[in-house]
Amino acid sequence: MKLWGGRFTGLTDNDVDIFNSSISFDQKMYKADILGSIVHAQMLGKQGIITQEEAQLITEELDNIKNEIESGAVVIDPDSEDIHTFIEGLLTKRIGDAGKRLHTARSRNDQVALDVRLYLCGAITETRDALVNLISVILDIAEANLNTIMPGFTHMQHAQPVTLAHHMNAYAQMFKRDVERLFDCYKRTDVSPLGSGALAGSTYPIDRQFVADTLGMTGGVTLNSMDSVSDRDFVIELASCYSIIMMHLSRFCEELITWSTSEFGFVTMDDGFSTGSSIMPQKKNPDVAELVRGKTGRVYGNLMALLTVMKSLPLAYNKDMQEDKEAIFDSEKTVNMCLKVFAKMLATCNFNKDAMYKAAFEGYLNSTDFADYITKRGVPFRASHKITGELVVYCIEKGINIEDVSLDVFNEFCSGYCTVDEDIYKAITPEACVTGRAHVGGPAPERAQEVIDYMRSWIKERTKE
Ligand code: ARG
Protein backbone atom coordinates (compact mmCIF):
# COMPACT_ATOMS: atom_id res chain seq x y z
CA MET A 1 0.00 0.00 0.00
CA LYS A 2 1.22 3.49 -0.89
CA LEU A 3 -0.23 6.70 0.48
CA TRP A 4 0.50 8.49 -2.80
CA GLY A 5 -0.28 5.91 -5.50
CA GLY A 6 -2.96 7.89 -7.37
CA ARG A 7 -0.57 10.08 -9.29
CA PHE A 8 1.47 7.15 -10.56
CA THR A 9 0.85 4.76 -13.41
CA GLY A 10 4.20 2.96 -13.28
CA LEU A 11 5.54 0.85 -10.42
CA THR A 12 8.33 1.97 -8.15
CA ASP A 13 11.65 0.25 -8.78
CA ASN A 14 12.18 -2.51 -6.21
CA ASP A 15 15.47 -1.09 -5.06
CA VAL A 16 13.89 2.33 -4.69
CA ASP A 17 11.21 0.86 -2.44
CA ILE A 18 13.94 -0.49 -0.22
CA PHE A 19 16.06 2.64 -0.49
CA ASN A 20 13.14 4.94 0.29
CA SER A 21 11.76 2.94 3.18
CA SER A 22 12.26 4.10 6.75
CA ILE A 23 10.18 1.49 8.56
CA SER A 24 13.23 -0.42 9.80
CA PHE A 25 14.08 2.49 12.06
CA ASP A 26 11.01 4.72 12.36
CA GLN A 27 8.90 1.86 13.77
CA LYS A 28 10.51 2.84 17.04
CA MET A 29 8.11 5.80 17.06
CA TYR A 30 4.91 3.76 16.75
CA LYS A 31 3.61 4.91 20.12
CA ALA A 32 4.18 8.58 19.35
CA ASP A 33 2.64 8.11 15.90
CA ILE A 34 -0.50 6.50 17.32
CA LEU A 35 -0.82 9.05 20.09
CA GLY A 36 -0.48 11.93 17.62
CA SER A 37 -3.08 10.35 15.35
CA ILE A 38 -5.55 9.82 18.19
CA VAL A 39 -5.33 13.44 19.26
CA HIS A 40 -5.51 14.61 15.63
CA ALA A 41 -8.69 12.54 15.12
CA GLN A 42 -10.21 13.92 18.30
CA MET A 43 -9.47 17.45 17.12
CA LEU A 44 -11.05 16.70 13.70
CA GLY A 45 -14.14 15.34 15.49
CA LYS A 46 -14.39 18.28 17.88
CA GLN A 47 -14.15 20.74 15.00
CA GLY A 48 -16.77 18.92 12.94
CA ILE A 49 -14.24 18.10 10.20
CA ILE A 50 -15.10 14.44 10.66
CA THR A 51 -18.00 13.14 12.78
CA GLN A 52 -17.59 12.47 16.47
CA GLU A 53 -18.47 8.83 15.78
CA GLU A 54 -15.67 8.55 13.25
CA ALA A 55 -13.27 10.17 15.69
CA GLN A 56 -14.35 7.72 18.36
CA LEU A 57 -13.97 4.75 16.02
CA ILE A 58 -10.47 5.87 14.99
CA THR A 59 -9.43 6.43 18.60
CA GLU A 60 -10.60 3.02 19.74
CA GLU A 61 -9.03 1.15 16.87
CA LEU A 62 -5.72 2.99 17.14
CA ASP A 63 -5.70 2.10 20.80
CA ASN A 64 -6.27 -1.54 19.90
CA ILE A 65 -3.45 -1.42 17.37
CA LYS A 66 -1.10 0.04 19.96
CA ASN A 67 -1.94 -2.69 22.45
CA GLU A 68 -1.59 -5.38 19.82
CA ILE A 69 1.81 -4.10 18.71
CA GLU A 70 2.86 -4.18 22.34
CA SER A 71 1.56 -7.70 22.93
CA GLY A 72 3.07 -8.94 19.69
CA ALA A 73 -0.32 -9.75 18.18
CA VAL A 74 0.41 -7.23 15.44
CA VAL A 75 3.82 -7.41 13.78
CA ILE A 76 4.99 -4.27 12.02
CA ASP A 77 5.30 -5.02 8.31
CA PRO A 78 8.90 -4.44 7.21
CA ASP A 79 7.69 -3.86 3.63
CA SER A 80 5.69 -0.76 4.54
CA GLU A 81 7.20 2.54 3.45
CA ASP A 82 7.21 3.93 6.97
CA ILE A 83 5.46 3.64 10.32
CA HIS A 84 2.84 6.24 9.33
CA THR A 85 1.85 4.23 6.25
CA PHE A 86 1.74 1.00 8.20
CA ILE A 87 -0.52 2.24 10.97
CA GLU A 88 -2.88 4.15 8.70
CA GLY A 89 -3.07 1.14 6.38
CA LEU A 90 -3.90 -1.25 9.19
CA LEU A 91 -6.46 1.15 10.61
CA THR A 92 -8.18 1.50 7.25
CA LYS A 93 -8.17 -2.25 6.73
CA ARG A 94 -10.03 -2.57 10.02
CA ILE A 95 -12.48 0.36 10.00
CA GLY A 96 -12.76 1.29 6.34
CA ASP A 97 -13.65 4.86 5.34
CA ALA A 98 -13.28 6.33 8.82
CA GLY A 99 -9.65 5.29 8.65
CA LYS A 100 -9.28 7.04 5.32
CA ARG A 101 -10.48 10.30 6.94
CA LEU A 102 -7.72 10.34 9.58
CA HIS A 103 -5.22 12.09 7.32
CA THR A 104 -7.58 15.04 6.65
CA ALA A 105 -5.74 18.32 7.36
CA ARG A 106 -2.47 16.50 7.90
CA SER A 107 0.65 15.60 5.94
CA ARG A 108 3.32 13.10 6.80
CA ASN A 109 5.59 16.12 7.01
CA ASP A 110 3.92 17.59 10.09
CA GLN A 111 3.10 14.09 11.31
CA VAL A 112 6.71 12.92 11.33
CA ALA A 113 7.86 16.21 12.87
CA LEU A 114 5.40 15.63 15.72
CA ASP A 115 6.38 11.99 16.11
CA VAL A 116 10.08 12.77 16.39
CA ARG A 117 9.38 15.50 18.93
CA LEU A 118 7.18 13.28 21.09
CA TYR A 119 9.63 10.41 20.87
CA LEU A 120 12.62 12.56 21.77
CA CYS A 121 10.82 14.10 24.76
CA GLY A 122 10.68 10.58 26.16
CA ALA A 123 14.31 9.98 25.27
CA ILE A 124 15.40 13.20 26.99
CA THR A 125 13.61 12.18 30.18
CA GLU A 126 15.28 8.79 30.13
CA THR A 127 18.73 10.30 29.70
CA ARG A 128 18.04 12.84 32.40
CA ASP A 129 17.16 10.05 34.83
CA ALA A 130 20.31 8.13 33.91
CA LEU A 131 22.40 11.26 34.51
CA VAL A 132 20.76 11.90 37.86
CA ASN A 133 21.47 8.33 38.86
CA LEU A 134 25.12 8.76 37.90
CA ILE A 135 25.35 12.02 39.84
CA SER A 136 24.00 10.20 42.91
CA VAL A 137 26.69 7.54 42.59
CA ILE A 138 29.34 10.26 42.31
CA LEU A 139 28.01 12.09 45.37
CA ASP A 140 28.07 8.89 47.42
CA ILE A 141 31.73 8.36 46.57
CA ALA A 142 32.46 12.01 47.30
CA GLU A 143 30.74 11.92 50.66
CA ALA A 144 32.71 8.82 51.69
CA ASN A 145 35.97 10.50 50.69
CA LEU A 146 35.81 14.05 52.03
CA ASN A 147 39.21 13.52 53.66
CA THR A 148 40.77 11.20 51.10
CA ILE A 149 43.77 13.22 50.01
CA MET A 150 45.18 12.77 46.55
CA PRO A 151 47.29 14.77 44.14
CA GLY A 152 45.45 17.17 41.89
CA PHE A 153 46.93 17.48 38.39
CA THR A 154 47.50 20.11 35.77
CA HIS A 155 49.23 19.10 32.53
CA MET A 156 49.03 15.58 34.04
CA GLN A 157 51.76 16.71 36.48
CA HIS A 158 51.33 16.74 40.23
CA ALA A 159 50.03 20.21 41.05
CA GLN A 160 48.39 20.69 44.46
CA PRO A 161 46.73 18.32 46.92
CA VAL A 162 42.99 17.87 46.62
CA THR A 163 40.59 15.22 47.90
CA LEU A 164 38.83 12.44 46.06
CA ALA A 165 35.58 14.15 47.10
CA HIS A 166 36.67 17.34 45.36
CA HIS A 167 37.71 15.44 42.25
CA MET A 168 34.37 13.56 42.17
CA ASN A 169 32.41 16.74 42.74
CA ALA A 170 34.00 18.19 39.62
CA TYR A 171 32.27 15.51 37.55
CA ALA A 172 29.01 16.02 39.44
CA GLN A 173 29.09 19.64 38.23
CA MET A 174 29.68 18.57 34.63
CA PHE A 175 26.78 16.13 34.66
CA LYS A 176 24.57 18.69 36.39
CA ARG A 177 25.15 21.06 33.47
CA ASP A 178 24.31 18.19 31.14
CA VAL A 179 20.97 17.73 32.89
CA GLU A 180 20.29 21.45 32.62
CA ARG A 181 21.15 21.41 28.93
CA LEU A 182 18.69 18.54 28.43
CA PHE A 183 15.95 20.48 30.21
CA ASP A 184 16.57 23.42 27.97
CA CYS A 185 16.54 21.24 24.87
CA TYR A 186 13.30 19.64 26.10
CA LYS A 187 11.59 23.04 26.14
CA ARG A 188 12.23 23.55 22.44
CA THR A 189 11.36 19.95 21.59
CA ASP A 190 8.04 19.86 23.43
CA VAL A 191 6.21 22.04 20.87
CA SER A 192 3.52 20.84 18.46
CA PRO A 193 4.04 21.31 14.70
CA LEU A 194 0.78 19.52 13.85
CA GLY A 195 -1.49 21.51 11.57
CA SER A 196 1.42 22.75 9.48
CA GLY A 197 0.45 20.24 6.80
CA ALA A 198 2.91 19.66 4.01
CA LEU A 199 4.30 23.18 4.43
CA ALA A 200 1.56 25.76 4.04
CA GLY A 201 -0.92 24.73 6.69
CA SER A 202 -4.47 23.70 6.12
CA THR A 203 -7.79 25.04 4.78
CA TYR A 204 -9.81 23.23 7.47
CA PRO A 205 -10.94 24.92 10.69
CA ILE A 206 -8.34 23.06 12.78
CA ASP A 207 -7.58 23.73 16.46
CA ARG A 208 -3.84 23.41 16.83
CA GLN A 209 -3.80 24.53 20.45
CA PHE A 210 -6.20 21.73 21.37
CA VAL A 211 -3.76 19.20 19.91
CA ALA A 212 -0.80 20.68 21.82
CA ASP A 213 -2.78 20.90 25.06
CA THR A 214 -4.17 17.38 24.79
CA LEU A 215 -0.70 16.02 24.11
CA GLY A 216 0.52 18.01 27.13
CA MET A 217 3.11 19.81 25.04
CA THR A 218 4.38 22.52 27.34
CA GLY A 219 5.76 24.69 24.55
CA GLY A 220 2.38 25.07 22.80
CA VAL A 221 2.30 25.28 19.00
CA THR A 222 4.97 26.24 16.48
CA LEU A 223 4.45 29.61 14.80
CA ASN A 224 5.41 29.08 11.17
CA SER A 225 4.19 26.14 9.12
CA MET A 226 7.18 26.13 6.77
CA ASP A 227 9.64 26.13 9.65
CA SER A 228 7.57 23.53 11.49
CA VAL A 229 8.00 20.84 8.85
CA SER A 230 11.64 21.57 8.13
CA ASP A 231 13.05 22.36 11.57
CA ARG A 232 15.36 19.73 12.97
CA ASP A 233 17.25 22.09 15.31
CA PHE A 234 15.88 20.20 18.28
CA VAL A 235 17.38 16.97 16.96
CA ILE A 236 20.76 18.62 16.45
CA GLU A 237 20.53 20.24 19.85
CA LEU A 238 19.91 16.88 21.50
CA ALA A 239 22.71 15.29 19.48
CA SER A 240 24.94 18.03 20.77
CA CYS A 241 23.77 17.51 24.38
CA TYR A 242 24.54 13.82 23.90
CA SER A 243 27.99 14.65 22.52
CA ILE A 244 28.82 16.82 25.51
CA ILE A 245 27.68 14.06 27.89
CA MET A 246 29.97 11.61 26.07
CA MET A 247 32.82 14.12 26.18
CA HIS A 248 32.41 14.28 29.97
CA LEU A 249 32.14 10.51 30.27
CA SER A 250 35.23 10.05 28.12
CA ARG A 251 37.26 12.31 30.40
CA PHE A 252 36.12 10.37 33.44
CA CYS A 253 36.89 7.07 31.69
CA GLU A 254 40.33 8.26 30.70
CA GLU A 255 41.11 9.09 34.32
CA LEU A 256 39.83 5.77 35.63
CA ILE A 257 41.87 3.96 32.99
CA THR A 258 44.97 5.90 33.99
CA TRP A 259 44.28 5.48 37.69
CA SER A 260 43.94 1.73 37.29
CA THR A 261 47.45 1.34 35.78
CA SER A 262 50.12 -0.12 38.02
CA GLU A 263 51.96 3.20 37.72
CA PHE A 264 49.09 4.98 39.49
CA GLY A 265 47.31 2.24 41.39
CA PHE A 266 44.63 4.70 42.57
CA VAL A 267 41.72 2.48 41.63
CA THR A 268 40.92 -1.19 41.36
CA MET A 269 37.98 -2.01 39.18
CA ASP A 270 35.54 -4.69 40.18
CA ASP A 271 35.83 -8.01 38.37
CA GLY A 272 32.30 -7.55 37.08
CA PHE A 273 33.44 -4.52 35.09
CA SER A 274 36.82 -5.72 33.85
CA THR A 275 37.89 -8.30 31.32
CA GLY A 276 40.94 -10.46 30.85
CA SER A 277 43.36 -11.24 28.06
CA SER A 278 43.26 -14.39 25.97
CA ILE A 279 47.04 -14.68 26.13
CA MET A 280 48.31 -12.80 29.16
CA PRO A 281 46.94 -14.54 32.25
CA GLN A 282 47.72 -11.68 34.62
CA LYS A 283 45.72 -9.04 32.75
CA LYS A 284 42.69 -7.24 34.10
CA ASN A 285 41.61 -4.64 31.60
CA PRO A 286 39.30 -1.65 32.09
CA ASP A 287 37.29 -2.52 28.97
CA VAL A 288 34.08 -0.83 30.08
CA ALA A 289 35.80 2.52 30.54
CA GLU A 290 37.65 2.07 27.25
CA LEU A 291 34.48 1.20 25.37
CA VAL A 292 32.60 4.20 26.74
CA ARG A 293 35.59 6.36 25.73
CA GLY A 294 35.50 4.78 22.28
CA LYS A 295 31.76 5.20 21.81
CA THR A 296 32.23 8.94 22.19
CA GLY A 297 33.40 8.86 18.58
CA ARG A 298 30.15 7.55 17.15
CA VAL A 299 28.07 10.03 19.15
CA TYR A 300 30.18 12.93 17.83
CA GLY A 301 29.84 11.37 14.37
CA ASN A 302 26.06 11.41 14.64
CA LEU A 303 26.13 15.10 15.51
CA MET A 304 28.28 15.82 12.46
CA ALA A 305 25.98 13.71 10.29
CA LEU A 306 22.92 15.65 11.44
CA LEU A 307 24.54 19.04 10.97
CA THR A 308 25.61 18.02 7.49
CA VAL A 309 22.20 16.61 6.52
CA MET A 310 20.63 19.95 7.40
CA LYS A 311 23.32 22.10 5.84
CA SER A 312 22.03 24.18 2.91
CA LEU A 313 18.62 22.47 2.85
CA PRO A 314 16.12 24.80 1.23
CA LEU A 315 12.66 25.28 2.76
CA ALA A 316 10.54 23.40 3.46
CA TYR A 317 10.50 19.59 3.97
CA ASN A 318 13.02 17.57 1.99
CA LYS A 319 13.42 13.83 2.10
CA ASP A 320 16.99 14.32 3.31
CA MET A 321 15.44 14.84 6.73
CA GLN A 322 14.53 11.19 6.97
CA GLU A 323 18.24 10.75 7.74
CA ASP A 324 17.72 12.45 11.11
CA LYS A 325 16.33 9.36 12.82
CA GLU A 326 19.03 6.71 12.67
CA ALA A 327 21.63 9.20 13.86
CA ILE A 328 19.71 10.49 16.85
CA PHE A 329 18.35 7.05 17.76
CA ASP A 330 21.87 5.67 17.72
CA SER A 331 23.11 8.47 19.98
CA GLU A 332 20.17 7.99 22.32
CA LYS A 333 20.78 4.27 22.63
CA THR A 334 24.54 4.65 22.98
CA VAL A 335 24.43 7.40 25.60
CA ASN A 336 21.79 5.71 27.75
CA MET A 337 23.69 2.45 27.66
CA CYS A 338 26.99 4.16 28.48
CA LEU A 339 25.47 6.10 31.39
CA LYS A 340 23.93 2.96 32.82
CA VAL A 341 27.04 0.77 32.60
CA PHE A 342 29.40 3.54 33.63
CA ALA A 343 27.38 4.32 36.77
CA LYS A 344 27.45 0.67 37.79
CA MET A 345 31.17 0.43 37.10
CA LEU A 346 31.92 3.57 39.09
CA ALA A 347 29.80 2.43 42.02
CA THR A 348 31.88 -0.74 42.30
CA CYS A 349 35.30 0.90 41.91
CA ASN A 350 37.62 0.43 44.83
CA PHE A 351 39.63 3.58 45.47
CA ASN A 352 43.03 2.91 47.00
CA LYS A 353 43.29 5.67 49.56
CA ASP A 354 46.81 4.77 50.67
CA ALA A 355 48.20 5.00 47.16
CA MET A 356 46.48 8.34 46.67
CA TYR A 357 47.79 9.70 49.96
CA LYS A 358 51.31 8.51 49.26
CA ALA A 359 51.25 10.17 45.85
CA ALA A 360 50.34 13.46 47.50
CA PHE A 361 53.88 13.53 48.91
CA GLU A 362 55.52 13.14 45.52
CA GLY A 363 56.22 16.07 43.25
CA TYR A 364 56.35 19.02 45.67
CA LEU A 365 52.59 19.59 45.69
CA ASN A 366 52.92 21.87 48.72
CA SER A 367 55.21 24.37 46.96
CA THR A 368 52.41 26.88 46.48
CA ASP A 369 51.57 26.59 50.16
CA PHE A 370 55.16 27.32 51.14
CA ALA A 371 55.12 30.34 48.86
CA ASP A 372 51.79 31.45 50.34
CA TYR A 373 53.20 31.09 53.87
CA ILE A 374 56.06 33.50 53.22
CA THR A 375 53.82 35.78 51.17
CA LYS A 376 51.55 36.09 54.20
CA ARG A 377 54.67 37.21 56.05
CA GLY A 378 55.07 40.16 53.74
CA VAL A 379 57.08 38.79 50.83
CA PRO A 380 55.66 39.89 47.45
CA PHE A 381 54.18 36.79 45.80
CA ARG A 382 56.45 36.98 42.75
CA ALA A 383 59.50 36.93 45.07
CA SER A 384 57.97 34.11 47.12
CA HIS A 385 57.49 32.16 43.91
CA LYS A 386 61.16 32.60 43.00
CA ILE A 387 62.42 31.68 46.49
CA THR A 388 60.24 28.56 46.57
CA GLY A 389 61.36 27.58 43.10
CA GLU A 390 64.99 27.74 44.27
CA LEU A 391 64.04 25.76 47.36
CA VAL A 392 62.49 23.05 45.16
CA VAL A 393 65.69 22.82 43.09
CA TYR A 394 67.59 22.40 46.37
CA CYS A 395 65.20 19.63 47.47
CA ILE A 396 65.48 17.82 44.13
CA GLU A 397 69.26 17.86 44.42
CA LYS A 398 69.08 16.49 47.97
CA GLY A 399 66.35 14.02 47.09
CA ILE A 400 64.05 15.30 49.85
CA ASN A 401 60.65 16.92 50.26
CA ILE A 402 60.03 20.52 51.29
CA GLU A 403 58.81 19.41 54.72
CA ASP A 404 62.16 17.65 55.25
CA VAL A 405 64.10 20.92 55.03
CA SER A 406 65.35 22.34 58.33
CA LEU A 407 64.20 25.70 59.69
CA ASP A 408 67.73 27.08 59.30
CA VAL A 409 67.79 26.27 55.62
CA PHE A 410 64.29 27.75 55.13
CA ASN A 411 65.53 30.94 56.74
CA GLU A 412 68.66 31.02 54.57
CA PHE A 413 66.46 30.91 51.47
CA CYS A 414 64.22 33.66 52.88
CA SER A 415 66.91 35.85 54.37
CA GLY A 416 66.29 39.52 53.76
CA TYR A 417 62.60 38.82 53.15
CA CYS A 418 61.04 37.20 56.22
CA THR A 419 61.57 34.63 58.92
CA VAL A 420 60.14 31.14 58.81
CA ASP A 421 58.97 29.60 62.07
CA GLU A 422 58.24 26.12 63.34
CA ASP A 423 54.57 26.46 62.27
CA ILE A 424 55.67 26.13 58.64
CA TYR A 425 55.66 22.35 59.03
CA LYS A 426 51.97 22.37 59.92
CA ALA A 427 51.17 24.81 57.14
CA ILE A 428 52.48 22.57 54.37
CA THR A 429 51.03 19.17 55.22
CA PRO A 430 48.71 17.84 52.50
CA GLU A 431 45.86 18.11 55.02
CA ALA A 432 46.62 21.81 55.60
CA CYS A 433 46.89 22.42 51.86
CA VAL A 434 43.36 21.06 51.47
CA THR A 435 41.66 22.53 54.54
CA GLY A 436 43.30 25.90 53.92
CA ARG A 437 41.35 26.28 50.69
CA ALA A 438 38.01 26.77 52.34
CA HIS A 439 36.29 29.29 50.08
CA VAL A 440 33.22 28.44 48.02
CA GLY A 441 34.26 25.94 45.37
CA GLY A 442 37.42 24.94 47.23
CA PRO A 443 38.53 21.45 48.28
CA ALA A 444 38.16 21.87 52.07
CA PRO A 445 36.01 18.99 53.37
CA GLU A 446 33.28 21.23 54.80
CA ARG A 447 32.97 23.05 51.48
CA ALA A 448 32.81 19.78 49.57
CA GLN A 449 30.12 18.56 51.97
CA GLU A 450 28.10 21.73 51.31
CA VAL A 451 28.31 21.09 47.59
CA ILE A 452 27.16 17.50 48.09
CA ASP A 453 24.21 18.66 50.21
CA TYR A 454 23.29 21.27 47.64
CA MET A 455 23.51 18.72 44.83
CA ARG A 456 21.28 16.28 46.67
CA SER A 457 18.57 18.90 47.12
CA TRP A 458 19.02 19.97 43.51
CA ILE A 459 18.39 16.37 42.44
CA LYS A 460 15.21 16.28 44.52
CA GLU A 461 13.99 19.47 42.88
CA ARG A 462 14.86 18.34 39.37
CA THR A 463 13.28 14.92 39.60
CA LYS A 464 10.01 16.34 40.92
CA GLU A 465 9.26 17.81 37.48
N1 ARG B 1 9.81 8.83 6.49
C1 ARG B 1 9.65 10.23 6.24
C2 ARG B 1 10.66 11.00 7.11
O1 ARG B 1 11.17 10.43 7.99
C3 ARG B 1 8.27 10.66 6.58
C4 ARG B 1 7.84 11.91 5.90
C5 ARG B 1 7.63 11.66 4.45
N2 ARG B 1 7.22 12.84 3.77
C6 ARG B 1 7.29 12.89 2.46
N3 ARG B 1 6.90 14.01 1.93
N4 ARG B 1 7.78 11.95 1.72
O2 ARG B 1 10.93 12.14 6.89
Side-chain angles (χ1 to χ4, degrees):
M1 176 217 161
K2 287 205 164 70
L3 296 176
W4 38 267
R7 158 75 177 77
F8 290 76
T9 47
L11 289 175
T12 317
D13 182 273
N14 278 343
D15 284 335
V16 170
D17 272 336
I18 297 166
F19 185 62
N20 203 37
S21 168
S22 52
I23 190 112
S24 63
F25 48 88
D26 67 14
Q27 57 177 281
K28 243 190 158 165
M29 308 190 299
Y30 77 89
K31 241 190 245 168
D33 193 72
I34 289 174
L35 181 63
S37 288
I38 287 176
V39 176
H40 180 65
Q42 286 170 352
M43 183 278 289
L44 294 176
K46 179 182 86 74
Q47 297 298 97
I49 301 168
I50 62 174
T51 67
Q52 288 285 13
E53 293 69 40
E54 285 165 336
Q56 187 59 26
L57 197 58
I58 292 171
T59 300
E60 278 165 16
E61 202 49 51
L62 283 174
D63 217 37
N64 290 339
I65 292 175
K66 186 184 88 169
N67 293 335
E68 289 168 42
I69 292 176
E70 258 145 35
S71 74
V74 159
V75 177
I76 295 171
D77 174 14
D79 293 330
S80 277
E81 183 177 331
D82 51 35
I83 190 64
H84 328 295
T85 308
F86 172 74
I87 289 169
E88 194 185 314
L90 186 59
L91 179 73
T92 301
K93 218 190 276 169
R94 291 185 179 187
I95 63 169
D97 276 356
K100 291 188 187 168
R101 292 190 201 280
L102 169 62
H103 211 53
T104 313
R106 189 173 70 169
S107 156
R108 274 185 300 168
N109 297 351
D110 56 348
Q111 184 179 359
V112 74
L114 176 71
D115 290 3
V116 176
R117 285 174 180 274
L118 289 175
Y119 179 87
L120 291 185
C121 282
I124 291 173
T125 307
E126 199 184 326
T127 307
R128 177 203 70 176
D129 291 347
L131 277 169
V132 165
N133 172 57
L134 173 57
I135 294 172
S136 300
V137 170
I138 293 172
L139 296 179
D140 288 345
I141 296 173
E143 196 150 31
N145 288 284
L146 290 165
N147 295 297
T148 304
I149 289 175
M150 63 176 285
F153 298 82
T154 61
H155 313 267
M156 271 304 277
Q157 306 288 320
H158 283 199
Q160 289 169 344
V162 292
T163 64
L164 182 56
H166 199 52
H167 201 114
M168 286 292 140
N169 275 344
Y171 283 102
Q173 294 307 303
M174 294 180 219
F175 294 122
K176 171 174 182 276
R177 290 194 296 274
D178 288 333
V179 171
E180 285 166 345
R181 253 185 293 275
L182 286 177
F183 267 98
D184 209 49
C185 175
Y186 189 97
K187 276 192 277 178
R188 277 178 291 279
T189 306
D190 199 25
V191 187
S192 174
L194 212 65
S196 301
L199 79 160
S202 160
T203 56
Y204 298 92
I206 55 174
D207 184 348
R208 296 191 59 210
Q209 193 61 48
F210 170 84
V211 171
D213 290 344
T214 311
L215 288 169
M217 298 186 90
T218 48
V221 297
T222 55
L223 295 182
N224 180 289
S225 64
M226 293 179 77
D227 175 51
S228 305
V229 294
S230 63
D231 166 26
R232 293 294 181 273
D233 293 5
F234 61 99
V235 183
I236 295 175
E237 220 178 309
L238 182 56
S240 137
C241 293
Y242 280 150
S243 297
I244 297 175
I245 292 169
M246 289 306 292
M247 178 270 292
H248 288 152
L249 277 179
S250 76
R251 295 179 69 182
F252 211 157
C253 286
E254 174 77 8
E255 294 206 314
L256 292 174
I257 292 163
T258 312
W259 290 3
S260 67
T261 59
S262 45
E263 283 75 12
F264 270 79
F266 285 4
V267 72
T268 310
M269 288 194 189
D270 189 82
D271 278 3
F273 295 87
S274 314
T275 58
S277 156
S278 60
I279 176 168
M280 297 168 283
Q282 86 284 11
K283 287 297 288 286
K284 185 168 161 186
N285 299 325
D287 282 33
V288 171
E290 289 170 310
L291 204 47
V292 171
R293 187 178 60 179
K295 282 184 188 291
T296 307
R298 66 194 285 160
V299 175
Y300 287 8
N302 289 332
L303 171 62
M304 277 319 294
L306 285 162
L307 282 167
T308 313
V309 164
M310 293 306 292
K311 177 184 176 293
S312 314
L313 267 195
L315 290 175
Y317 177 84
N318 296 273
K319 185 75 171 199
D320 314 43
M321 291 175 188
Q322 178 166 292
E323 288 291 311
D324 62 352
K325 288 167 212 59
E326 281 166 293
I328 196 68
F329 293 165
D330 182 70
S331 287
E332 176 211 1
K333 188 174 146 207
T334 306
V335 171
N336 287 339
M337 187 72 179
C338 287
L339 285 169
K340 186 177 158 194
V341 181
F342 182 87
K344 283 167 86 175
M345 179 192 71
L346 184 65
T348 54
C349 274
N350 186 13
F351 292 95
N352 307 327
K353 300 185 189 191
D354 291 346
M356 288 180 162
Y357 190 61
K358 199 167 150 260
F361 288 90
E362 291 156 14
Y364 307 98
L365 286 113
N366 51 2
S367 301
T368 312
D369 296 78
F370 182 86
D372 285 346
Y373 175 96
I374 59 175
T375 300
K376 284 170 193 163
R377 298 200 156 200
V379 184
F381 181 76
R382 211 23 83 210
S384 308
H385 189 286
K386 185 166 180 287
I387 293 167
T388 312
E390 287 159 1
L391 179 64
V392 168
V393 173
Y394 167 86
C395 289
I396 291 171
E397 276 164 8
K398 294 255 179 247
I400 56 173
N401 279 335
I402 297 180
E403 59 273 20
D404 302 326
V405 174
S406 71
L407 260 192
D408 287 349
V409 175
F410 280 149
N411 278 304
E412 264 170 46
F413 273 91
C414 297
S415 77
Y417 280 110
C418 72
T419 52
V420 176
D421 293 318
E422 193 62 37
D423 61 353
I424 182 64
Y425 296 106
K426 275 206 180 114
I428 58 172
T429 63
E431 287 79 1
C433 296
V434 165
T435 55
R437 291 173 163 82
H439 50 79
V440 175
E446 72 269 26
R447 285 287 100 84
Q449 181 67 61
E450 275 168 21
V451 172
I452 294 166
D453 294 343
Y454 163 75
M455 287 297 291
R456 291 207 200 278
S457 64
W458 175 84
I459 286 176
K460 263 199 204 126
E461 272 306 299
R462 282 279 105 167
T463 42
K464 263 205 306 228
E465 290 156 35

